[in-house]
Amino acid sequence: MIRPIMHLYWRFSRGLTLGVRGMALDSERRIFLIKHSYVPGWHLPGGGVEVGETMSEALRREMMEEGNIEILQPPRLFAIYHNRRISDRDHVALFLIDHFAQEVPPQPNAEIIAHGFFDRGALPDGTTPATRARIAEVLDGGAAGDLW
């Protein structure tokens, strides 16, 4: 009797949220970024992992929804970050995607208003500090930080 009660207590008092982001690098090492309609700045595509969904499934879904990008080979997990900007319980897994196809670019819609592949030295104005930090960590070969 006490075990189910304690399980519920821990689930609600210490629950975490988990998100995924994908860094798709094309053959020219350009990075795919998106701009949402509901939050300022340019970001790596991604989103929340739904109940019953694996991180891999969530990443594939988000890359297709936000970038019309089909992941062709398993992505590489780069790091997991604590994202205090969203919630003190939120974590984000960053995956590197080297092998993908984008048959046609996505059309802007109610969620994603702009997108594109950008050279590191020509990132669009408004690229968020966290996005810039992740790009630097990956492309410079540095250690990943703990915070998104």
Side-chain angles (χ1 to χ4, degrees):
M1 177 67 177
I2 192 76
R3 186 173 180 162
I5 293 171
M6 290 306 293
H7 175 75
L8 283 174
Y9 168 77
W10 289 115
R11 177 160 162 62
F12 290 107
S13 69
R14 302 195 187 242
L16 297 175
T17 55
L18 179 62
V20 292
R21 297 274 179 156
M23 186 180 296
L25 298 166
D26 70 7
S27 61
E28 298 172 35
R29 303 288 288 169
R30 295 178 305 163
I31 304 115
F32 184 75
L33 298 176
I34 59 168
K35 188 171 187 176
H36 293 99
S37 61
Y38 53 86
V39 62
W42 287 84
H43 304 265
L44 295 167
V49 178
E50 302 294 335
V51 174
E53 187 176 50
T54 67
M55 285 193 292
S56 178
E57 290 167 340
L59 182 65
R60 287 181 185 283
R61 176 179 49 76
E62 291 289 347
M63 295 303 291
M64 186 57 76
E65 288 175 2
E66 296 185 351
N68 201 30
I69 290 175
E70 178 185 6
I71 299 172
L72 301 176
Q73 292 185 9
R76 295 175 288 135
L77 176 63
F78 180 75
I80 299 175
Y81 303 86
H82 185 194
N83 187 6
R84 289 183 182 157
R85 289 182 187 97
I86 299 298
S87 159
D88 206 29
R89 306 172 333 146
D90 191 47
H91 290 76
V92 177
L94 174 61
F95 289 88
L96 307 182
I97 304 166
D98 297 315
H99 303 283
F100 62 90
Q102 186 187 52
E103 299 277 328
V104 294
Q107 294 297 312
N109 57 44
E111 180 187 5
I112 307 301
I113 59 174
H115 60 81
F117 283 92
F118 299 93
D119 288 315
R120 180 190 186 179
L123 296 175
D125 289 339
T127 300
T128 66
T131 300
R132 289 179 183 277
R134 301 301 77 81
I135 291 168
E137 290 169 357
V138 170
L139 297 183
D140 293 342
D146 289 332
L147 301 177
W148 184 261

